[in-house]
Amino acid sequence: MEYYVGLDVSLKEISICVVDMDGKTVARGVCPADPEGVAGWFRNRELTPRRIVHESGMLSIWLQRGLAGLGLPATCIDARKAHKSLSARLNKSDAADAEGLAQLARTGWFTPVHIRSEEADRLRSLVGARERLIRLRKDLEGHIRGVLKTFGIRMIGIGQGRQRQAFRDQLAAAGETDQVLRVIADAFIATHAKLCQVADDLDKAVRKTAKVHPVARRLMTIPGVGPVNALSFIALVDDPGRFNRTSDVGAFLGLTPKRHQSGEMDWSGRGTFRTFAARARFLRRLRGHP
């Protein structure tokens, strides 16, 4: 007998539903939200599922890797498309969603989601951490500028690394004019210096990683492509074999070609961003955001 399983995953527990080839529910239950808990639930009931599906979400990558490592035939499916099928059910509950996912596993009416490799996630995490620290530093600088402008103090611009110390020196000088500004300056100077240091450390780590990565080194031979863009692109594409054509990569990033069709005329031009949202999505993905 072939069994099909649906997993409705939450942060603490997983609702499980098992159906047979005819769609009849064979077993239901709940287990801890970890791969070992799922595998133990099947062992206790002596069930060997043919297919297990779970929706993409916060724990889906970790769960998929763990289930695959334990030899379970798990597949992560697109949550947005699965929602259309699950929303047709009368009652919304974890058990009902697990049963709906089990029926999708049985019928095969789902879209698998690519699970990135651990190496790709490490690269995304490194690039994303660097960007986050730089953004925090810029937010802090912008806040300082806004506060001091109310007192008629205009801070210098920061275009290069050596100008950051001058920025802190000017902030310290502003603190000498007022007791309250002195307290603010003491706290912000230390914070700004630490943010600059850790951001520089991560920037060096990104450059060092790109320098020893063979694919990143080839990408950096392209004019305008540096370590950050190279590693971001590698982490985003992950497995080039999942794209049949090079144009599919552009479509995945949100790039679509210009097209003009009128009567017998039909031609495609260079790639472009069709909408502002597509452009923003491309930039977020390239910088290491989901």
Side-chain angles (χ1 to χ4, degrees), residues 119 209-221 230-231 234:
E119 180 185 1
T209 302
K211 186 177 180 180
V212 299
H213 199 290
V215 179
R217 293 178 62 180
R218 290 199 299 269
L219 289 175
M220 287 189 294
T221 60
L231 293 181
I234 293 171

Side-chain angles (χ1 to χ4, degrees), residues 25-45:
T25 300
V26 176
R28 295 178 183 270
V30 177
C31 72
D34 63 79
E36 289 290 347
V38 176
W41 192 91
F42 290 128
R43 285 196 299 266
N44 293 337
R45 290 157 180 80

